Amino acid sequence: MRQNIISLLAFAANLRGLGLNLIRIAILIVFVWIGGLKFKYYEADGIVPFVANSPFMSFFYAKEAPEYKEYKNKEGELVLKNRQWHESNRTYVFSYGLGCLIMTIGVLVFLGMFSPKIGIFGEVLCIIMTIGTLSFLVTTPECWVPDLGSGEHGFPLLSGAGRLVIKDTVILAGAVTLLSDTAGKLLKEFSK
């Protein structure tokens, strides 16, 4: 029995490389998929509360928060006056640029599987981006359940938007793990 446990532990101990590569693949899938969705109206409309309330990103939009609240579209809904408002707000232009950036980061992180010199750039950018995304928990009121009379509202009760943001803690942890591994590989290269 003891030998079987040792064999299983030895097997698991050898999965580190596979695990690191699976993190790279997972980040690629999530970032390319989410980045690609930034080219769809519903996704671009959906990020407006985050961007409009962010002290680091609100300047990308033509209009200030909280004006966007009057022009929200539900996912899949088309209200022409809302679409026109988003066009004049530069919602879609910003979303397209953000989508390209997110997809590029995902690809760079993935390429770290083959080239640490490329991967380290993606990993650093991924860390910066996820910290930026996590800042929305502080800057975006829509991240918390609103007070609508149930008695359940505010911190720590995450809304749908807050649940979307909090998952970036996992991506951040993965990116830091990859950065550590890549930095170790590069240190070995430089010490030769």
Side-chain angles (χ1 to χ4, degrees), residues 67-130:
E67 185 178 340
Y68 66 86
K69 291 181 180 187
E70 298 173 37
Y71 300 96
K72 284 184 167 185
N73 286 316
K74 295 176 186 167
E75 291 182 358
E77 178 182 51
L78 172 61
V79 177
L80 287 177
K81 76 174 178 79
N82 294 355
R83 177 81 47 87
Q84 292 165 348
W85 183 90
H86 284 287
E87 286 171 358
S88 67
N89 185 46
R90 298 192 296 259
T91 298
Y92 305 122
V93 172
F94 172 76
S95 189
Y96 302 155
L98 181 61
C100 289
L101 175 64
I102 292 170
M103 289 188 290
T104 300
I105 292 170
V107 170
L108 290 172
V109 168
F110 174 75
L111 290 175
M113 194 181 308
F114 311 103
S115 169
K117 290 177 183 172
I118 293 172
I120 200 161
F121 290 108
E123 294 151 11
V124 168
L125 290 171
C126 187
I127 289 167
I128 292 167
M129 193 186 89
T130 54

Side-chain angles (χ1 to χ4, degrees), residues 22-36 106-107 110:
L22 287 175
I23 293 171
R24 286 185 171 90
I25 292 167
I27 289 175
L28 173 73
I29 291 168
V30 170
F31 278 38
V32 169
W33 198 332
I34 297 298
V107 170
F110 174 75

Side-chain angles (χ1 to χ4, degrees), residues 1-16:
M1 177 72 159
R2 178 178 161 82
Q3 189 57 39
N4 289 340
I5 293 173
I6 291 172
S7 294
L8 283 172
L9 291 174
F11 174 76
N14 288 318
L15 293 177
R16 184 174 185 278

